[in-house]
Each structure stands twice: as structure tokens, then as C-alpha cells.
Amino acid sequence: MTHPETAVLAAQEPAAPVTPVAPRPRTFWSKLGQSFSMFRNGKSIAGLIILGFFVLIALLSDLIAPYGPLDKDFTALKQPPSAAHWLGTTHMGEDVLSQIIYGTRGVLVVGFAAGIIATLIAVVVGVTAGYISGWKSEGLSAITNVFLVLPGLPLIIIVASQYQNPSLLLISGVLAITGWAWGGRVLRAQTMSLRNRDFVQAARANGEPLYRIITVEMLPNLTAIIASSFVGTVTAAVLGLTTLAFIGVIPITNLNWGTILFWAQQNGAFPDFWWWYVPAGLCIALLGMALSLINFGIDEYVNPRLRSAGERARAMRKKGIKMSSSVTAVRTQDPGEEPAPPAGN
């Protein structure tokens, strides 16, 4: 049995102070993983599925193509789709499906190579121009503005026409040089808003080197914008490649969807022989739609207003409320239920 005085003394003793647990510091990989959470929404997932389908076709083209891209069957000239040729044949008896499968590789190689090169240039120029100040920043900004107003398609035609058989890497480099400026300008503006943040100032006060401030402190916060710039550059490169091939600037040895459209137009396939040009046009449209969906998902993640609006829309759809409905649902009262009290009481 506890003595009363002991109980009183125990009650008067102050409680032991609770030591607060410091939150775990966010590492570089945790910041990077949180940045790539932009690919978790429905638009980005749908775009990634379509893009992954084309990537698989490009990687496995030698295995899944029924014929070689230039194999000729002179007994089936301009034939519609059949069991032997699922998407028909060309004027030389070449299988259209095989040409589309092999052409996917060239389109993706040029698109992703141009996107990587242009994104690297945009990151280096844009982040550097946004972090430093003075005449160096203004000089890099002036270079960005020059490339921003540079007419891309005429320059690409002039450069590509100087070579007898330009390689895919050369075409990618020309497309990247004419397509990096917009991403560089956006990154410069975002970097200028980040360089005065508290965590950047603290890193600078601790004597962190410049490369670590940019790579560890700033780049994880720019991942979404960099990804959006990359996707936009890939889309522009794919459209630029198919345009150059369609107008005949790129040689026929660089097989892609644009060269299929070029030969279809040169040999009078429009509009009767639809199987020659419609599949290639649909592939261009599907790839553009996939990249646009990915870009829309990234935009929704980057823009807080779009992100909150998307979250509200998804929550309302789960409750069965249509966003297009202009009438608010009113809850009816049961006959035996007491009326709710006024809001002021």
C-alpha cells in the first residue's frame, strides 16, 4: 500500500522533459524520387504505356518484322492488306508493316538523341545564366534569345542538304541546336527564383562548391521542368524528322515514317492506296499523343493550380459527381428525420 505522503511527493515531481525527435534530413535520392512522382497520374501513365509500346517495337524490330524493309514481292504490287501482308504493299511490293516497324527505330533514335543533347545544352546554359549575375548572365541570355528566334526548319534544310548521306546523329545534333533555347530560357527564369532561397543561401554560407550547390541543391527542384523540356524537345524532333523526310531532304537510306509518306506521295498513293500512308500517319499521331500526355502530366505536377484542380476532379469522380454537371445535388430529408438546426445556433 502506497503511503499518502509518497503519493503527494510523486505528484509534485515535474515530469521528465520529452526530447523532440529531429526529422530525418532529405537526401538527394529522396528529393529526386519525389520529383519523379509527376509520372504517377493517369495522363503520364497512359503516355508512358504508348511510348513503351513503340520502344519495344524499335528494340525488337529484327524479331517481329515479317519481312525486310526493302524486300520486294513483284507478285503483289500495291496490294491491300491481306494475310501475307497485314498492311499491304508498296508500288515495289515492299511490305508496309515491316517498313513501319523498322522506321520506328530511326524515329525514336533521332527523337531521344535530339532531346538529350538539347536538354543538356538547355540545363548548362539556362542554370548557369540563372545562377550567376552580371554581364556573363546577360551574355548567355542574349545567346538564348538569338537561338529562340532562329528559324529552325530552314536552317535544318540548309545544313542537312550539305551532306550526301547525313547520319542520324548529325540530324539529331541539328535538331537539338535549333530546339534547346526555349527550355534554356525557362530554366534560367526558374533558377533565378531559386538562387535566393534559404537552402541555397545556407549552402553558400557553409562554403559549398558551386557544382554541389547546382547539382545537389538546385537540380532536384528543377527535375520536373527539365523533364517537361525534354519531352517537348523530343516531340519537336520527331515532327522535324518526319517533315524533313517527307519533303525529301533526308536520303531514303534513313528509313523512318517520314520516308514512307514521301514515297507514298511520290508514287500517287493519295488517296486511293490508303494502306500505304494511313498507318505511318497514325504512328506519328500516336507517338505525338503519347508525348503530349506525358507533358500534360508533368505540367499538372509542376503547376500547383492544375495539380489541385486535377485532385479535386478525381475526388469528385470517385464520388460519382460529373464535372460537367451544372446542377448541384440536393440531399432530401427523410419523413421521420428531424430538421437540422440553423447554422447560427
Side-chain angles (χ1 to χ4, degrees):
M1 184 174 180
T2 306
H3 197 273
E5 295 182 356
T6 305
V8 171
L9 292 175
Q12 292 178 352
E13 290 180 358
V18 179
T19 305
V21 179
R24 297 178 61 185
R26 294 175 59 191
T27 62
F28 170 77
W29 297 109
S30 64
K31 293 180 182 179
L32 193 62
Q34 186 177 4
S35 299
F36 279 98
S37 62
M38 56 192 160
F39 296 113
R40 297 176 184 174
N41 53 56
K43 294 179 182 179
S44 295
I45 292 174
L48 288 174
I49 291 174
I50 300 174
L51 181 61
F53 172 74
F54 283 113
V55 170
L56 285 177
I57 290 178
L59 293 176
L60 304 176
S61 57
D62 296 328
L63 300 177
I64 63 179
Y67 305 95
L70 301 178
D71 292 347
K72 297 174 177 58
D73 183 5
F74 294 105
T75 62
L77 304 180
K78 290 186 178 181
Q79 293 297 312
S82 61
H85 304 280
W86 289 3
L87 292 180
T89 59
T90 67
H91 68 297
M92 298 293 291
E94 299 161 343
D95 187 66
V96 176
L97 176 61
S98 300
Q99 290 189 347
I100 289 177
I101 291 174
Y102 277 98
T104 305
R105 182 181 300 174
V107 171
L108 292 184
V109 166
V110 172
F112 280 98
I116 292 172
I117 297 172
T119 303
L120 289 176
I121 298 174
V123 169
V124 172
V125 176
V127 175
T128 304
Y131 185 79
I132 63 177
S133 58
W135 65 270
K136 297 179 181 179
S137 177
E138 296 298 329
L140 292 176
S141 178
I143 294 175
T144 305
N145 293 334
V146 169
F147 278 91
L148 193 62
V149 299
L150 201 66
L153 187 59
L155 180 62
I156 294 172
I157 294 174
I158 293 173
V159 174
S161 62
Q162 300 301 315
Y163 296 87
Q164 199 71 12
N165 188 12
S167 62
L168 294 179
L169 184 60
L170 175 63
I171 298 171
S172 304
V174 175
L175 292 171
I177 290 174
T178 58
W180 66 269
W182 179 257
R185 188 171 182 84
V186 174
L187 285 172
R188 177 180 180 269
Q190 189 65 21
T191 305
M192 291 178 67
S193 67
L194 286 176
R195 69 183 181 185
N196 294 323
R197 300 285 180 88
D198 293 338
F199 61 92
V200 176
Q201 296 292 338
R204 189 183 303 170
N206 290 334
E208 298 288 347
L210 178 61
Y211 75 92
R212 193 178 188 282
I213 294 176
I214 293 177
T215 56
V216 177
E217 301 294 340
M218 303 185 73
L219 281 185
N221 295 282
L222 298 172
T223 306
I225 298 176
I226 294 173
S228 179
S229 175
F230 171 75
V231 173
T233 307
V234 172
T235 306
V238 170
L239 295 178
L241 173 68
T242 53
T243 301
L244 292 174
F246 180 72
I247 63 180
V249 176
I250 297 178
I252 59 174
T253 54
N254 292 331
L255 183 64
N256 57 74
W257 299 334
T259 54
I260 298 174
L261 296 177
F262 169 77
W263 284 115
Q265 190 268 339
Q266 290 292 318
N267 293 277
F270 298 93
D272 298 330
F273 306 105
W274 57 268
W275 59 86
W276 195 347
Y277 58 87
V278 169
L282 285 178
C283 287
I284 296 172
L286 280 175
L287 182 58
M289 183 184 70
L291 295 172
S292 298
L293 286 174
I294 296 173
N295 211 358
F296 290 156
I298 296 173
D299 288 340
E300 183 177 326
Y301 177 84
V302 174
N303 193 330
R305 294 183 179 180
L306 292 178
R307 183 167 65 247
S308 60
E311 292 174 354
R312 287 197 301 268
R314 286 189 288 270
M316 293 179 69
R317 282 197 297 267
K318 288 181 181 180
K319 295 179 181 179
I321 303 175
K322 296 181 179 180
M323 291 294 295
S324 59
S325 178
S326 58
V327 180
T328 305
V330 180
R331 180 176 178 272
T332 58
Q333 181 179 348
D334 297 334
E337 185 180 358
E338 296 182 0
N345 294 341

